[in-house]
Amino acid sequence: MTTADSIADSDEASRARQEMVDKLVASGMITSGDVERAFRTVPREVFMPEGTDLAAAYNPDDAVAAKRDEHGRIISSLSAPFIQARMIEQAELAPGMSVLEIGSGGLNAALIAEVVGPGGRVVSVDIDPDITTNAGAALDAAGYGGRVEVLLADAEHPVPDLDEVDAVIVTVGAWDIPPAWTGPLAPDGRLVVPLRMNNVTRSIAFGRVGDHLESTSLEVCGFVPMQGDGEHHERVFELPDPRGGAVKLQFDVTPKDLSPLDGVLAKPRTELRSGVDIPRGVSFADLHLWFASFLPGFCRVAAGEGTELAEERRWFPFGTVADDGSFAYLAIGPTLEGIGDEFLARGWGEGDAGPALVAQIQAWADAGRPQPDSVAFWPNGGDRDLPKGAVVLEKRHGLVTISWPAAP
């Protein structure tokens, strides 16, 4: 490549970077000057896998796969710019702060380093040697090698020689919050973690309140799951489709007996209307967390190739099963009046699953389509004055509570 080519590539990347940041600022994903400056400065393209074009590197809404396993599943990725921005904002970073990042890739650590400045400290930890090697090389190439310490370690356990930090930012999907993350956190520090709560993930910023953590903000997100000793496997149950393939149901809390579901996809199709409309341009992601909180038999749904469900449109990967062997999932369709759309419960088997799903859609709407008031984490071994009426989820290292402004 000639010098002229290098200059042209640099100019094109700079234009793509500024356009991306303009969009993130306009959409409210970036709200602080320090974060905006970091995103306008760090060259994302340097951290991308070989062959990644600039359009993908600077797409504000999409992650880029960094590594796949032998089955082709993504096990490490460079997060989408919008969620990187939101999580750094959630951490309330400032110049001079010390930050522990769980899950490396180099790019997010460089952004953090820009925000905390030369007087700050950034330690980035990952369990995969390929990822730490690539992250270190990219940080060196981008000029951040002396400002970020990259360590190979399983962050379920305490990071050696780590002093007190002002923030811990977790960039992998976590099912639990181990003491290794809260131990080094300053009394007024922030823990930002994509926490899985009954199969639904939110990036939650936690602050200390007495002997537990309470949320200060929640953001919709999705992350590849944690590896190592902190890994958690949900149970997957397959429903064979008579046409071939299978629909997979993923449970965090598994019903006692799934045998009544045998052959359910060969039963009659069902569809129930909820009467709850869907305003255009308004997110209903909080409905998914409501399901995770209150819907019995709740599960995530994945349609394999060749299944009838895989060919269907306008449905979402959230459903429920009932003891009578029926199965229903969330879908949308035109209202009876033909004006706009409404939520539907589609499925198989004429039983309780569809009515249960519709009942929770209606309960959420009747409650004013709320967001959670707060999410809290109560570590093992402490006093637990749990909030009245909160949903309680058991974890290995403690309890998670979800408090809603109204509950069914």
Side-chain angles (χ1 to χ4, degrees):
M1 180 179 293
T2 66
T3 301
D5 289 335
S6 298
I7 293 172
D9 285 348
S10 177
D11 289 345
E12 185 178 356
S14 179
R15 283 193 297 270
R17 189 177 315 122
Q18 305 314 316
E19 289 173 2
M20 177 197 73
V21 178
D22 289 344
K23 292 177 182 177
L24 292 173
V25 171
S27 65
M29 295 294 103
I30 291 178
T31 57
S32 73
D34 286 339
V35 176
E36 179 180 347
R37 178 183 51 78
F39 273 74
R40 292 194 186 280
T41 302
V42 174
R44 298 183 69 86
E45 69 277 8
V46 175
F47 297 88
M48 295 293 146
E50 186 176 355
T52 304
D53 62 28
L54 288 177
Y58 287 101
N59 184 326
D61 301 318
D62 289 342
V64 174
K67 186 176 180 179
R68 298 177 185 268
D69 66 12
E70 66 274 16
H71 305 292
R73 292 188 293 258
I74 298 173
I75 57 174
S76 182
S77 66
L78 298 166
S79 300
F82 86 90
I83 194 60
Q84 288 181 318
R86 291 311 307 148
M87 292 178 73
I88 294 173
E89 298 273 17
Q90 284 183 289
E92 302 179 21
L93 301 183
M97 283 188 172
S98 177
V99 183
L100 171 63
E101 180 193 39
I102 307 298
S104 196
L107 174 54
N108 199 61
L111 292 165
I112 295 169
E114 275 292 335
V115 174
V116 301
R121 183 190 182 198
V122 183
V123 178
S124 183
V125 178
D126 202 282
I127 196 172
D128 189 323
D130 292 337
I131 298 302
T132 55
T133 297
N134 292 340
L139 285 162
D140 286 341
Y144 294 93
R147 296 171 60 181
V148 177
E149 183 180 358
V150 180
L151 300 178
L152 176 64
D154 186 338
E156 177 75 4
H157 309 290
V159 177
D161 302 321
L162 181 70
D163 298 327
E164 183 177 88
V165 297
D166 299 294
V168 177
I169 301 178
V170 184
T171 62
V172 289
W175 184 82
D176 202 356
I177 298 176
W181 301 352
T182 56
L185 189 64
D188 59 348
R190 287 286 181 267
L191 166 65
V192 180
V193 53
L195 186 64
R196 295 208 311 274
M197 298 169 287
N198 195 11
N199 270 307
V200 175
T201 301
R202 292 290 181 270
S203 173
I204 306 177
F206 286 107
R208 292 189 189 274
V209 178
D211 61 353
H212 68 284
L213 303 173
E214 288 191 8
S215 62
T216 58
S217 64
L218 284 79
E219 297 285 347
V220 176
C221 67
F223 279 82
V224 297
M226 184 79 62
Q227 301 178 53
D229 291 343
E231 187 173 5
H232 176 80
H233 294 284
E234 286 85 357
R235 181 177 177 186
V236 177
F237 187 80
E238 293 192 353
L239 304 177
D241 190 301
R243 299 170 50 178
V247 172
K248 295 182 179 181
L249 309 182
Q250 180 175 296
F251 297 92
D252 189 67
V253 180
T254 311
K256 292 181 180 179
D257 184 11
L258 292 172
S259 61
L261 287 169
D262 292 343
V264 66
L265 299 189
K267 294 180 179 179
R269 288 280 268 147
T270 60
E271 180 178 285
L272 295 177
R273 293 182 172 274
S274 69
V276 177
D277 69 334
I278 307 167
R280 289 188 179 276
V282 177
S283 171
F284 51 86
D286 292 307
L287 174 60
H288 308 153
L289 190 54
W290 180 278
F291 285 159
S293 299
F294 300 115
L295 182 60
F298 175 74
C299 58
R300 289 191 69 99
V301 183
E305 292 184 8
T307 62
E308 183 178 355
L309 186 55
E311 299 173 1
E312 187 177 321
R313 296 181 178 181
R314 309 190 79 191
W315 64 279
F316 299 90
F318 305 99
T320 184
V321 299
D323 292 339
D324 56 22
S326 56
F327 159 59
Y329 57 92
L330 180 66
I332 61 174
T335 64
L336 287 174
E337 296 79 12
I339 302 174
D341 291 315
E342 69 175 298
F343 291 109
L344 309 172
R346 293 197 185 119
W348 286 266
E350 297 176 345
D352 294 335
L357 187 62
V358 165
Q360 290 304 329
I361 296 171
Q362 295 170 340
W364 174 72
D366 291 343
R369 307 183 187 223
Q371 300 176 347
D373 279 337
S374 66
V375 176
F377 179 76
W378 307 78
N380 293 333
D383 294 331
R384 290 173 173 170
D385 185 15
L386 303 184
K388 184 178 179 181
V391 176
V392 179
L393 305 177
E394 293 187 12
K395 303 290 184 177
R396 185 181 308 117
H397 297 296
L399 301 176
V400 169
T401 58
I402 309 173
S403 298
W404 292 86

